[in-house]
Amino acid sequence: METIKLGQDGAAVCPLCIGTWAWGDKLFWNYGSDEEDAKQLQVAFQAALEAGTTFFDTAEVYGFGTSEKYLGQFMQTSDRPIQIATKFGPAPWRFTAQSVSDALTESLKRLGLERVSLYQVHWSFSFFMSQETLMNALADEVQRGRIEAVGVSNYSAEQMQQAYKILATRGVKLASNQVRYSLLTRQIETNGILDTARKLGVTILAYSPLAQGLLTGKYTASSTEPTGARRIDPRFSKEGLQKIEPVISILKKIGDRHGRTPAQVALNWLIAQGNIVAIAGAKNANQVQQNAGALGWQMTDEEITQLEQVTRPWLY
């Protein structure tokens, strides 16, 4: 299984990460609220390991800790090396370095771990804690051995540079920035985030890599009525779906040549950009296996160029 490093000094991980936001989240996903859901998640976890996708992304706020608890329970059933990335949520009542340490302690307890591969700052909000205090607290935890690498999430190019500089004074290198990135959300290529990450040796963790399902080909202007929040999302309107038809058409053509689905091609395109980890959410074994189909093959340069050209309207 191919791997890439998280930043310059971080762990070697699979370039396809399993996103676990929905694992136990009732507020947004209404999922994980009963025993049957939990069993399905455990099967999904095992399917991920069998497929070689052993990198999981979670956060303390996912299901208010439930996602971390599930991962902690499931990891006890396997002796395979597993990399976990979780997140600290800046909040107004967290304004000291001790609050960072306390949050990490609670995440580690839920995960049943002594150390995480990647600990990320979930948002760039400062509130009452400065970036200096926050980054120094994270550097302290690296030195204590409870964090292997430090990452950020939803940081702009300027914020990423600031975090990098503060950590560097402590001999710690910023490993990653988790941001929205897909064929239909390519703004990081034009707003400086991708260029800055490459200059600093920071890995991009791409969330929502299938644009909430738009890149699966499941939704079309003539069929498949969107449900839930998608019903009020203009991207899922008839006009929005008509706009992406050329993209879906090329994804299907490329997929047919390689025996892959549009979603697998879209994920493969992300990984092909280099130093990118695609975080694909999965709630069951079938979704895990489908996502894993993005690995182990390569598009031609011409196919990558076709996708780049057809999605240029989404650069800004």
Side-chain angles (χ1 to χ4, degrees), residues 1-4 13-19 48 51-57 83 206 209-210 263-264 266-268 270-271 276-281 287-295:
M1 179 64 68
E2 58 185 302
T3 61
I4 68 170
V13 300
C14 176
L16 180 67
C17 178
I18 306 297
T53 47
T54 56
F55 185 31
F56 295 82
D57 178 74
Q83 291 84 35
L210 297 177
Q264 290 166 347
L267 291 172
N268 187 279
L270 269 177
I271 294 167
I276 305 285
V277 174
I279 302 176
Q287 290 174 345
V288 167
Q289 291 157 355
Q290 284 295 311
N291 292 338
L295 299 170

PDB file of all heavy atoms in Angstrom, residues 1-4 13-19 48 51-57 83 206 209-210 263-264 266-268 270-271 276-281 287-295:
ATOM      1  N   MET A   1       0.839  -1.191   0.000  1.00  0.00           N
ATOM      2  CA  MET A   1       0.000   0.000   0.000  1.00  0.00           C
ATOM      3  C   MET A   1       0.879   1.248   0.000  1.00  0.00           C
ATOM      4  O   MET A   1       1.818   1.357   0.776  1.00  0.00           O
ATOM      5  CB  MET A   1      -0.901   0.000   1.238  1.00  0.00           C
ATOM      6  CG  MET A   1      -1.804   1.207   1.360  1.00  0.00           C
ATOM      7  SD  MET A   1      -3.011   1.326   0.029  1.00  0.00           S
ATOM      8  CE  MET A   1      -4.044  -0.094   0.396  1.00  0.00           C
ATOM      9  N   GLU A   2       0.577   2.188  -0.902  1.00  0.00           N
ATOM     10  CA  GLU A   2       1.349   3.416  -0.981  1.00  0.00           C
ATOM     11  C   GLU A   2       1.117   4.263   0.271  1.00  0.00           C
ATOM     12  O   GLU A   2       0.043   4.209   0.891  1.00  0.00           O
ATOM     13  CB  GLU A   2       0.940   4.217  -2.228  1.00  0.00           C
ATOM     14  CG  GLU A   2      -0.544   4.579  -2.271  1.00  0.00           C
ATOM     15  CD  GLU A   2      -0.932   5.268  -3.562  1.00  0.00           C
ATOM     16  OE1 GLU A   2      -0.342   6.315  -3.868  1.00  0.00           O
ATOM     17  OE2 GLU A   2      -1.837   4.758  -4.242  1.00  0.00           O
ATOM     18  N   THR A   3       2.117   5.024   0.661  1.00  0.00           N
ATOM     19  CA  THR A   3       1.998   5.911   1.812  1.00  0.00           C
ATOM     20  C   THR A   3       2.642   7.250   1.499  1.00  0.00           C
ATOM     21  O   THR A   3       3.451   7.361   0.571  1.00  0.00           O
ATOM     22  CB  THR A   3       2.686   5.322   3.061  1.00  0.00           C
ATOM     23  OG1 THR A   3       4.081   5.148   2.787  1.00  0.00           O
ATOM     24  CG2 THR A   3       2.062   4.007   3.474  1.00  0.00           C
ATOM     25  N   ILE A   4       2.260   8.260   2.270  1.00  0.00           N
ATOM     26  CA  ILE A   4       2.940   9.551   2.202  1.00  0.00           C
ATOM     27  C   ILE A   4       3.184  10.019   3.631  1.00  0.00           C
ATOM     28  O   ILE A   4       2.483   9.608   4.562  1.00  0.00           O
ATOM     29  CB  ILE A   4       2.141  10.604   1.414  1.00  0.00           C
ATOM     30  CG1 ILE A   4       0.862  10.988   2.164  1.00  0.00           C
ATOM     31  CG2 ILE A   4       1.803  10.124   0.033  1.00  0.00           C
ATOM     32  CD1 ILE A   4       0.177  12.190   1.550  1.00  0.00           C
ATOM     33  N   VAL A  13       1.481   7.653   6.253  1.00  0.00           N
ATOM     34  CA  VAL A  13       0.071   7.263   6.285  1.00  0.00           C
ATOM     35  C   VAL A  13      -0.428   6.941   4.884  1.00  0.00           C
ATOM     36  O   VAL A  13       0.174   7.324   3.883  1.00  0.00           O
ATOM     37  CB  VAL A  13      -0.802   8.375   6.897  1.00  0.00           C
ATOM     38  CG1 VAL A  13      -0.371   8.685   8.328  1.00  0.00           C
ATOM     39  CG2 VAL A  13      -0.763   9.633   6.036  1.00  0.00           C
ATOM     40  N   CYS A  14      -1.545   6.256   4.836  1.00  0.00           N
ATOM     41  CA  CYS A  14      -2.214   5.998   3.563  1.00  0.00           C
ATOM     42  C   CYS A  14      -2.745   7.328   3.020  1.00  0.00           C
ATOM     43  O   CYS A  14      -3.276   8.136   3.788  1.00  0.00           O
ATOM     44  CB  CYS A  14      -3.365   5.021   3.798  1.00  0.00           C
ATOM     45  SG  CYS A  14      -4.369   4.688   2.333  1.00  0.00           S
ATOM     46  N   PRO A  15      -2.627   7.587   1.722  1.00  0.00           N
ATOM     47  CA  PRO A  15      -3.124   8.854   1.175  1.00  0.00           C
ATOM     48  C   PRO A  15      -4.641   8.945   1.123  1.00  0.00           C
ATOM     49  O   PRO A  15      -5.193   9.977   0.747  1.00  0.00           O
ATOM     50  CB  PRO A  15      -2.518   8.889  -0.233  1.00  0.00           C
ATOM     51  CG  PRO A  15      -2.291   7.458  -0.580  1.00  0.00           C
ATOM     52  CD  PRO A  15      -1.943   6.775   0.698  1.00  0.00           C
ATOM     53  N   LEU A  16      -5.318   7.858   1.512  1.00  0.00           N
ATOM     54  CA  LEU A  16      -6.773   7.882   1.639  1.00  0.00           C
ATOM     55  C   LEU A  16      -7.102   7.655   3.111  1.00  0.00           C
ATOM     56  O   LEU A  16      -6.783   6.606   3.683  1.00  0.00           O
ATOM     57  CB  LEU A  16      -7.421   6.795   0.776  1.00  0.00           C
ATOM     58  CG  LEU A  16      -8.950   6.731   0.845  1.00  0.00           C
ATOM     59  CD1 LEU A  16      -9.564   7.980   0.215  1.00  0.00           C
ATOM     60  CD2 LEU A  16      -9.475   5.486   0.139  1.00  0.00           C
ATOM     61  N   CYS A  17      -7.722   8.643   3.721  1.00  0.00           N
ATOM     62  CA  CYS A  17      -8.039   8.604   5.147  1.00  0.00           C
ATOM     63  C   CYS A  17      -9.542   8.375   5.319  1.00  0.00           C
ATOM     64  O   CYS A  17     -10.359   8.864   4.536  1.00  0.00           O
ATOM     65  CB  CYS A  17      -7.623   9.929   5.787  1.00  0.00           C
ATOM     66  SG  CYS A  17      -7.996  10.096   7.533  1.00  0.00           S
ATOM     67  N   ILE A  18      -9.909   7.634   6.359  1.00  0.00           N
ATOM     68  CA  ILE A  18     -11.318   7.398   6.656  1.00  0.00           C
ATOM     69  C   ILE A  18     -11.821   8.513   7.568  1.00  0.00           C
ATOM     70  O   ILE A  18     -11.337   8.685   8.690  1.00  0.00           O
ATOM     71  CB  ILE A  18     -11.534   6.037   7.360  1.00  0.00           C
ATOM     72  CG1 ILE A  18     -10.915   4.897   6.540  1.00  0.00           C
ATOM     73  CG2 ILE A  18     -13.019   5.806   7.606  1.00  0.00           C
ATOM     74  CD1 ILE A  18     -11.524   4.689   5.186  1.00  0.00           C
ATOM     75  N   GLY A  19     -12.779   9.286   7.087  1.00  0.00           N
ATOM     76  CA  GLY A  19     -13.369  10.351   7.888  1.00  0.00           C
ATOM     77  C   GLY A  19     -14.484   9.810   8.769  1.00  0.00           C
ATOM     78  O   GLY A  19     -15.335   9.057   8.298  1.00  0.00           O
ATOM     79  N   ALA A  48     -11.973  -1.350   6.526  1.00  0.00           N
ATOM     80  CA  ALA A  48     -10.914  -0.382   6.233  1.00  0.00           C
ATOM     81  C   ALA A  48      -9.540  -1.006   6.432  1.00  0.00           C
ATOM     82  O   ALA A  48      -8.651  -0.865   5.588  1.00  0.00           O
ATOM     83  CB  ALA A  48     -11.072   0.855   7.116  1.00  0.00           C
ATOM     84  N   ALA A  51      -8.693  -3.346   3.702  1.00  0.00           N
ATOM     85  CA  ALA A  51      -8.378  -2.658   2.450  1.00  0.00           C
ATOM     86  C   ALA A  51      -7.049  -1.917   2.518  1.00  0.00           C
ATOM     87  O   ALA A  51      -6.587  -1.353   1.518  1.00  0.00           O
ATOM     88  CB  ALA A  51      -9.498  -1.672   2.115  1.00  0.00           C
ATOM     89  N   GLY A  52      -6.419  -1.900   3.707  1.00  0.00           N
ATOM     90  CA  GLY A  52      -5.137  -1.232   3.857  1.00  0.00           C
ATOM     91  C   GLY A  52      -5.245   0.239   4.188  1.00  0.00           C
ATOM     92  O   GLY A  52      -4.233   0.948   4.248  1.00  0.00           O
ATOM     93  N   THR A  53      -6.481   0.729   4.413  1.00  0.00           N
ATOM     94  CA  THR A  53      -6.677   2.137   4.765  1.00  0.00           C
ATOM     95  C   THR A  53      -6.723   2.245   6.288  1.00  0.00           C
ATOM     96  O   THR A  53      -7.779   2.103   6.903  1.00  0.00           O
ATOM     97  CB  THR A  53      -7.967   2.692   4.136  1.00  0.00           C
ATOM     98  OG1 THR A  53      -9.045   1.763   4.371  1.00  0.00           O
ATOM     99  CG2 THR A  53      -7.805   2.851   2.644  1.00  0.00           C
ATOM    100  N   THR A  54      -5.571   2.495   6.871  1.00  0.00           N
ATOM    101  CA  THR A  54      -5.420   2.425   8.331  1.00  0.00           C
ATOM    102  C   THR A  54      -5.248   3.799   8.980  1.00  0.00           C
ATOM    103  O   THR A  54      -4.780   3.902  10.111  1.00  0.00           O
ATOM    104  CB  THR A  54      -4.206   1.549   8.693  1.00  0.00           C
ATOM    105  OG1 THR A  54      -3.039   2.078   8.039  1.00  0.00           O
ATOM    106  CG2 THR A  54      -4.423   0.109   8.245  1.00  0.00           C
ATOM    107  N   PHE A  55      -5.619   4.844   8.264  1.00  0.00           N
ATOM    108  CA  PHE A  55      -5.519   6.211   8.772  1.00  0.00           C
ATOM    109  C   PHE A  55      -6.938   6.745   8.975  1.00  0.00           C
ATOM    110  O   PHE A  55      -7.751   6.742   8.048  1.00  0.00           O
ATOM    111  CB  PHE A  55      -4.742   7.077   7.778  1.00  0.00           C
ATOM    112  CG  PHE A  55      -4.466   8.486   8.227  1.00  0.00           C
ATOM    113  CD1 PHE A  55      -4.283   8.811   9.558  1.00  0.00           C
ATOM    114  CD2 PHE A  55      -4.358   9.502   7.281  1.00  0.00           C
ATOM    115  CE1 PHE A  55      -4.011  10.118   9.954  1.00  0.00           C
ATOM    116  CE2 PHE A  55      -4.075  10.807   7.657  1.00  0.00           C
ATOM    117  CZ  PHE A  55      -3.912  11.113   9.004  1.00  0.00           C
ATOM    118  N   PHE A  56      -7.245   7.188  10.196  1.00  0.00           N
ATOM    119  CA  PHE A  56      -8.594   7.637  10.543  1.00  0.00           C
ATOM    120  C   PHE A  56      -8.547   9.062  11.088  1.00  0.00           C
ATOM    121  O   PHE A  56      -7.690   9.398  11.900  1.00  0.00           O
ATOM    122  CB  PHE A  56      -9.223   6.716  11.600  1.00  0.00           C
ATOM    123  CG  PHE A  56      -9.453   5.313  11.130  1.00  0.00           C
ATOM    124  CD1 PHE A  56      -8.423   4.385  11.144  1.00  0.00           C
ATOM    125  CD2 PHE A  56     -10.711   4.909  10.671  1.00  0.00           C
ATOM    126  CE1 PHE A  56      -8.629   3.081  10.710  1.00  0.00           C
ATOM    127  CE2 PHE A  56     -10.920   3.606  10.237  1.00  0.00           C
ATOM    128  CZ  PHE A  56      -9.887   2.694  10.253  1.00  0.00           C
ATOM    129  N   ASP A  57      -9.486   9.885  10.634  1.00  0.00           N
ATOM    130  CA  ASP A  57      -9.579  11.268  11.095  1.00  0.00           C
ATOM    131  C   ASP A  57     -10.840  11.450  11.935  1.00  0.00           C
ATOM    132  O   ASP A  57     -11.943  11.114  11.509  1.00  0.00           O
ATOM    133  CB  ASP A  57      -9.630  12.225   9.898  1.00  0.00           C
ATOM    134  CG  ASP A  57      -9.783  13.666  10.333  1.00  0.00           C
ATOM    135  OD1 ASP A  57      -8.787  14.237  10.828  1.00  0.00           O
ATOM    136  OD2 ASP A  57     -10.887  14.234  10.199  1.00  0.00           O
ATOM    137  N   GLN A  83      -3.085   4.663  12.413  1.00  0.00           N
ATOM    138  CA  GLN A  83      -2.778   6.065  12.661  1.00  0.00           C
ATOM    139  C   GLN A  83      -4.077   6.833  12.912  1.00  0.00           C
ATOM    140  O   GLN A  83      -5.028   6.718  12.133  1.00  0.00           O
ATOM    141  CB  GLN A  83      -2.036   6.697  11.480  1.00  0.00           C
ATOM    142  CG  GLN A  83      -0.624   6.192  11.284  1.00  0.00           C
ATOM    143  CD  GLN A  83      -0.569   4.904  10.489  1.00  0.00           C
ATOM    144  OE1 GLN A  83      -1.359   4.691   9.590  1.00  0.00           O
ATOM    145  NE2 GLN A  83       0.375   4.038  10.814  1.00  0.00           N
ATOM    146  N   ALA A 206      -7.450  16.808   2.591  1.00  0.00           N
ATOM    147  CA  ALA A 206      -8.600  17.326   1.854  1.00  0.00           C
ATOM    148  C   ALA A 206      -9.903  16.723   2.373  1.00  0.00           C
ATOM    149  O   ALA A 206     -10.143  15.539   2.207  1.00  0.00           O
ATOM    150  CB  ALA A 206      -8.442  17.016   0.365  1.00  0.00           C
ATOM    151  N   PRO A 209     -13.958  15.573  -0.136  1.00  0.00           N
ATOM    152  CA  PRO A 209     -13.309  15.362  -1.437  1.00  0.00           C
ATOM    153  C   PRO A 209     -14.272  14.987  -2.554  1.00  0.00           C
ATOM    154  O   PRO A 209     -13.911  15.048  -3.725  1.00  0.00           O
ATOM    155  CB  PRO A 209     -12.338  14.211  -1.148  1.00  0.00           C
ATOM    156  CG  PRO A 209     -13.000  13.434  -0.060  1.00  0.00           C
ATOM    157  CD  PRO A 209     -13.640  14.475   0.809  1.00  0.00           C
ATOM    158  N   LEU A 210     -15.494  14.604  -2.184  1.00  0.00           N
ATOM    159  CA  LEU A 210     -16.504  14.274  -3.199  1.00  0.00           C
ATOM    160  C   LEU A 210     -17.598  15.337  -3.252  1.00  0.00           C
ATOM    161  O   LEU A 210     -18.662  15.111  -3.827  1.00  0.00           O
ATOM    162  CB  LEU A 210     -17.109  12.894  -2.903  1.00  0.00           C
ATOM    163  CG  LEU A 210     -16.114  11.728  -2.958  1.00  0.00           C
ATOM    164  CD1 LEU A 210     -16.790  10.417  -2.574  1.00  0.00           C
ATOM    165  CD2 LEU A 210     -15.481  11.606  -4.345  1.00  0.00           C
ATOM    166  N   ALA A 263     -16.598   8.484  -8.405  1.00  0.00           N
ATOM    167  CA  ALA A 263     -16.073   8.866  -7.091  1.00  0.00           C
ATOM    168  C   ALA A 263     -14.620   8.412  -6.931  1.00  0.00           C
ATOM    169  O   ALA A 263     -13.780   9.161  -6.406  1.00  0.00           O
ATOM    170  CB  ALA A 263     -16.938   8.264  -5.984  1.00  0.00           C
ATOM    171  N   GLN A 264     -14.317   7.218  -7.380  1.00  0.00           N
ATOM    172  CA  GLN A 264     -12.949   6.708  -7.275  1.00  0.00           C
ATOM    173  C   GLN A 264     -11.997   7.529  -8.131  1.00  0.00           C
ATOM    174  O   GLN A 264     -10.854   7.776  -7.744  1.00  0.00           O
ATOM    175  CB  GLN A 264     -12.921   5.232  -7.673  1.00  0.00           C
ATOM    176  CG  GLN A 264     -13.606   4.329  -6.648  1.00  0.00           C
ATOM    177  CD  GLN A 264     -13.882   2.942  -7.180  1.00  0.00           C
ATOM    178  OE1 GLN A 264     -13.796   2.675  -8.389  1.00  0.00           O
ATOM    179  NE2 GLN A 264     -14.230   2.023  -6.289  1.00  0.00           N
ATOM    180  N   ALA A 266     -12.445  10.738  -8.882  1.00  0.00           N
ATOM    181  CA  ALA A 266     -12.326  12.039  -8.229  1.00  0.00           C
ATOM    182  C   ALA A 266     -11.340  11.981  -7.060  1.00  0.00           C
ATOM    183  O   ALA A 266     -10.535  12.898  -6.862  1.00  0.00           O
ATOM    184  CB  ALA A 266     -13.692  12.512  -7.744  1.00  0.00           C
ATOM    185  N   LEU A 267     -11.382  10.904  -6.285  1.00  0.00           N
ATOM    186  CA  LEU A 267     -10.444  10.746  -5.167  1.00  0.00           C
ATOM    187  C   LEU A 267      -9.027  10.521  -5.683  1.00  0.00           C
ATOM    188  O   LEU A 267      -8.058  11.058  -5.138  1.00  0.00           O
ATOM    189  CB  LEU A 267     -10.871   9.572  -4.285  1.00  0.00           C
ATOM    190  CG  LEU A 267     -12.155   9.748  -3.477  1.00  0.00           C
ATOM    191  CD1 LEU A 267     -12.559   8.434  -2.813  1.00  0.00           C
ATOM    192  CD2 LEU A 267     -11.998  10.843  -2.421  1.00  0.00           C
ATOM    193  N   ASN A 268      -8.901   9.735  -6.747  1.00  0.00           N
ATOM    194  CA  ASN A 268      -7.593   9.461  -7.338  1.00  0.00           C
ATOM    195  C   ASN A 268      -6.960  10.753  -7.850  1.00  0.00           C
ATOM    196  O   ASN A 268      -5.744  10.953  -7.725  1.00  0.00           O
ATOM    197  CB  ASN A 268      -7.741   8.440  -8.468  1.00  0.00           C
ATOM    198  CG  ASN A 268      -6.408   7.984  -9.030  1.00  0.00           C
ATOM    199  OD1 ASN A 268      -5.799   8.658  -9.856  1.00  0.00           O
ATOM    200  ND2 ASN A 268      -5.950   6.820  -8.591  1.00  0.00           N
ATOM    201  N   LEU A 270      -7.320  13.761  -6.651  1.00  0.00           N
ATOM    202  CA  LEU A 270      -6.797  14.503  -5.504  1.00  0.00           C
ATOM    203  C   LEU A 270      -5.431  13.966  -5.086  1.00  0.00           C
ATOM    204  O   LEU A 270      -4.471  14.721  -4.913  1.00  0.00           O
ATOM    205  CB  LEU A 270      -7.759  14.396  -4.321  1.00  0.00           C
ATOM    206  CG  LEU A 270      -8.842  15.452  -4.175  1.00  0.00           C
ATOM    207  CD1 LEU A 270      -9.729  15.115  -2.980  1.00  0.00           C
ATOM    208  CD2 LEU A 270      -8.239  16.842  -4.006  1.00  0.00           C
ATOM    209  N   ILE A 271      -5.361  12.656  -4.910  1.00  0.00           N
ATOM    210  CA  ILE A 271      -4.119  12.023  -4.459  1.00  0.00           C
ATOM    211  C   ILE A 271      -3.001  12.239  -5.476  1.00  0.00           C
ATOM    212  O   ILE A 271      -1.834  12.398  -5.112  1.00  0.00           O
ATOM    213  CB  ILE A 271      -4.367  10.520  -4.206  1.00  0.00           C
ATOM    214  CG1 ILE A 271      -5.348  10.351  -3.027  1.00  0.00           C
ATOM    215  CG2 ILE A 271      -3.067   9.784  -3.923  1.00  0.00           C
ATOM    216  CD1 ILE A 271      -5.904   8.948  -2.882  1.00  0.00           C
ATOM    217  N   ILE A 276      -1.032  15.089  -0.871  1.00  0.00           N
ATOM    218  CA  ILE A 276      -2.442  15.286  -0.509  1.00  0.00           C
ATOM    219  C   ILE A 276      -2.980  13.993   0.082  1.00  0.00           C
ATOM    220  O   ILE A 276      -2.779  12.914  -0.471  1.00  0.00           O
ATOM    221  CB  ILE A 276      -3.308  15.645  -1.739  1.00  0.00           C
ATOM    222  CG1 ILE A 276      -2.757  16.863  -2.473  1.00  0.00           C
ATOM    223  CG2 ILE A 276      -4.764  15.845  -1.338  1.00  0.00           C
ATOM    224  CD1 ILE A 276      -2.992  18.188  -1.812  1.00  0.00           C
ATOM    225  N   VAL A 277      -3.682  14.117   1.196  1.00  0.00           N
ATOM    226  CA  VAL A 277      -4.432  13.001   1.756  1.00  0.00           C
ATOM    227  C   VAL A 277      -5.911  13.321   1.581  1.00  0.00           C
ATOM    228  O   VAL A 277      -6.374  14.381   2.008  1.00  0.00           O
ATOM    229  CB  VAL A 277      -4.136  12.790   3.255  1.00  0.00           C
ATOM    230  CG1 VAL A 277      -5.055  11.716   3.848  1.00  0.00           C
ATOM    231  CG2 VAL A 277      -2.681  12.399   3.465  1.00  0.00           C
ATOM    232  N   ALA A 278      -6.651  12.435   0.946  1.00  0.00           N
ATOM    233  CA  ALA A 278      -8.093  12.628   0.767  1.00  0.00           C
ATOM    234  C   ALA A 278      -8.835  11.981   1.934  1.00  0.00           C
ATOM    235  O   ALA A 278      -8.645  10.800   2.212  1.00  0.00           O
ATOM    236  CB  ALA A 278      -8.551  12.007  -0.554  1.00  0.00           C
ATOM    237  N   ILE A 279      -9.663  12.768   2.617  1.00  0.00           N
ATOM    238  CA  ILE A 279     -10.439  12.246   3.742  1.00  0.00           C
ATOM    239  C   ILE A 279     -11.850  11.952   3.246  1.00  0.00           C
ATOM    240  O   ILE A 279     -12.638  12.870   3.000  1.00  0.00           O
ATOM    241  CB  ILE A 279     -10.501  13.241   4.910  1.00  0.00           C
ATOM    242  CG1 ILE A 279      -9.096  13.588   5.391  1.00  0.00           C
ATOM    243  CG2 ILE A 279     -11.331  12.677   6.045  1.00  0.00           C
ATOM    244  CD1 ILE A 279      -9.072  14.645   6.481  1.00  0.00           C
ATOM    245  N   ALA A 280     -12.148  10.685   3.084  1.00  0.00           N
ATOM    246  CA  ALA A 280     -13.461  10.279   2.587  1.00  0.00           C
ATOM    247  C   ALA A 280     -14.275   9.664   3.720  1.00  0.00           C
ATOM    248  O   ALA A 280     -13.863   8.676   4.322  1.00  0.00           O
ATOM    249  CB  ALA A 280     -13.298   9.268   1.442  1.00  0.00           C
ATOM    250  N   GLY A 281     -15.416  10.251   4.015  1.00  0.00           N
ATOM    251  CA  GLY A 281     -16.277   9.731   5.069  1.00  0.00           C
ATOM    252  C   GLY A 281     -16.865   8.382   4.680  1.00  0.00           C
ATOM    253  O   GLY A 281     -17.117   8.110   3.509  1.00  0.00           O
ATOM    254  N   GLN A 287     -19.131   1.505   1.676  1.00  0.00           N
ATOM    255  CA  GLN A 287     -18.543   2.808   1.390  1.00  0.00           C
ATOM    256  C   GLN A 287     -17.024   2.781   1.551  1.00  0.00           C
ATOM    257  O   GLN A 287     -16.301   3.382   0.759  1.00  0.00           O
ATOM    258  CB  GLN A 287     -19.165   3.858   2.309  1.00  0.00           C
ATOM    259  CG  GLN A 287     -20.619   4.162   1.997  1.00  0.00           C
ATOM    260  CD  GLN A 287     -21.256   5.093   3.010  1.00  0.00           C
ATOM    261  OE1 GLN A 287     -20.728   5.318   4.095  1.00  0.00           O
ATOM    262  NE2 GLN A 287     -22.414   5.640   2.666  1.00  0.00           N
ATOM    263  N   VAL A 288     -16.542   2.085   2.567  1.00  0.00           N
ATOM    264  CA  VAL A 288     -15.101   1.950   2.773  1.00  0.00           C
ATOM    265  C   VAL A 288     -14.453   1.280   1.566  1.00  0.00           C
ATOM    266  O   VAL A 288     -13.423   1.738   1.052  1.00  0.00           O
ATOM    267  CB  VAL A 288     -14.811   1.132   4.049  1.00  0.00           C
ATOM    268  CG1 VAL A 288     -13.342   0.711   4.094  1.00  0.00           C
ATOM    269  CG2 VAL A 288     -15.168   1.929   5.296  1.00  0.00           C
ATOM    270  N   GLN A 289     -15.043   0.186   1.121  1.00  0.00           N
ATOM    271  CA  GLN A 289     -14.483  -0.559  -0.008  1.00  0.00           C
ATOM    272  C   GLN A 289     -14.539   0.252  -1.297  1.00  0.00           C
ATOM    273  O   GLN A 289     -13.608   0.207  -2.116  1.00  0.00           O
ATOM    274  CB  GLN A 289     -15.237  -1.889  -0.155  1.00  0.00           C
ATOM    275  CG  GLN A 289     -14.947  -2.859   0.989  1.00  0.00           C
ATOM    276  CD  GLN A 289     -16.033  -3.901   1.172  1.00  0.00           C
ATOM    277  OE1 GLN A 289     -17.074  -3.871   0.502  1.00  0.00           O
ATOM    278  NE2 GLN A 289     -15.811  -4.838   2.087  1.00  0.00           N
ATOM    279  N   GLN A 290     -15.638   0.999  -1.478  1.00  0.00           N
ATOM    280  CA  GLN A 290     -15.746   1.855  -2.656  1.00  0.00           C
ATOM    281  C   GLN A 290     -14.656   2.926  -2.659  1.00  0.00           C
ATOM    282  O   GLN A 290     -14.003   3.168  -3.677  1.00  0.00           O
ATOM    283  CB  GLN A 290     -17.129   2.517  -2.697  1.00  0.00           C
ATOM    284  CG  GLN A 290     -18.257   1.593  -3.130  1.00  0.00           C
ATOM    285  CD  GLN A 290     -18.101   1.137  -4.569  1.00  0.00           C
ATOM    286  OE1 GLN A 290     -17.867   1.952  -5.472  1.00  0.00           O
ATOM    287  NE2 GLN A 290     -18.195  -0.158  -4.793  1.00  0.00           N
ATOM    288  N   ASN A 291     -14.444   3.550  -1.506  1.00  0.00           N
ATOM    289  CA  ASN A 291     -13.407   4.585  -1.414  1.00  0.00           C
ATOM    290  C   ASN A 291     -12.024   4.006  -1.683  1.00  0.00           C
ATOM    291  O   ASN A 291     -11.193   4.631  -2.359  1.00  0.00           O
ATOM    292  CB  ASN A 291     -13.436   5.233  -0.030  1.00  0.00           C
ATOM    293  CG  ASN A 291     -14.683   6.062   0.214  1.00  0.00           C
ATOM    294  OD1 ASN A 291     -15.340   6.494  -0.724  1.00  0.00           O
ATOM    295  ND2 ASN A 291     -15.006   6.284   1.472  1.00  0.00           N
ATOM    296  N   ALA A 292     -11.774   2.808  -1.171  1.00  0.00           N
ATOM    297  CA  ALA A 292     -10.463   2.177  -1.341  1.00  0.00           C
ATOM    298  C   ALA A 292     -10.154   1.909  -2.813  1.00  0.00           C
ATOM    299  O   ALA A 292      -8.987   1.769  -3.194  1.00  0.00           O
ATOM    300  CB  ALA A 292     -10.392   0.876  -0.550  1.00  0.00           C
ATOM    301  N   GLY A 293     -11.174   1.862  -3.643  1.00  0.00           N
ATOM    302  CA  GLY A 293     -10.973   1.672  -5.078  1.00  0.00           C
ATOM    303  C   GLY A 293     -10.291   2.846  -5.751  1.00  0.00           C
ATOM    304  O   GLY A 293      -9.953   2.787  -6.938  1.00  0.00           O
ATOM    305  N   ALA A 294     -10.069   3.919  -4.990  1.00  0.00           N
ATOM    306  CA  ALA A 294      -9.331   5.069  -5.532  1.00  0.00           C
ATOM    307  C   ALA A 294      -7.830   4.823  -5.529  1.00  0.00           C
ATOM    308  O   ALA A 294      -7.072   5.557  -6.166  1.00  0.00           O
ATOM    309  CB  ALA A 294      -9.639   6.318  -4.709  1.00  0.00           C
ATOM    310  N   LEU A 295      -7.397   3.768  -4.829  1.00  0.00           N
ATOM    311  CA  LEU A 295      -5.969   3.487  -4.668  1.00  0.00           C
ATOM    312  C   LEU A 295      -5.496   2.388  -5.619  1.00  0.00           C
ATOM    313  O   LEU A 295      -6.300   1.607  -6.129  1.00  0.00           O
ATOM    314  CB  LEU A 295      -5.698   3.059  -3.229  1.00  0.00           C
ATOM    315  CG  LEU A 295      -6.037   4.068  -2.136  1.00  0.00           C
ATOM    316  CD1 LEU A 295      -5.935   3.412  -0.765  1.00  0.00           C
ATOM    317  CD2 LEU A 295      -5.140   5.301  -2.221  1.00  0.00           C
TER     318      LEU A 295
END
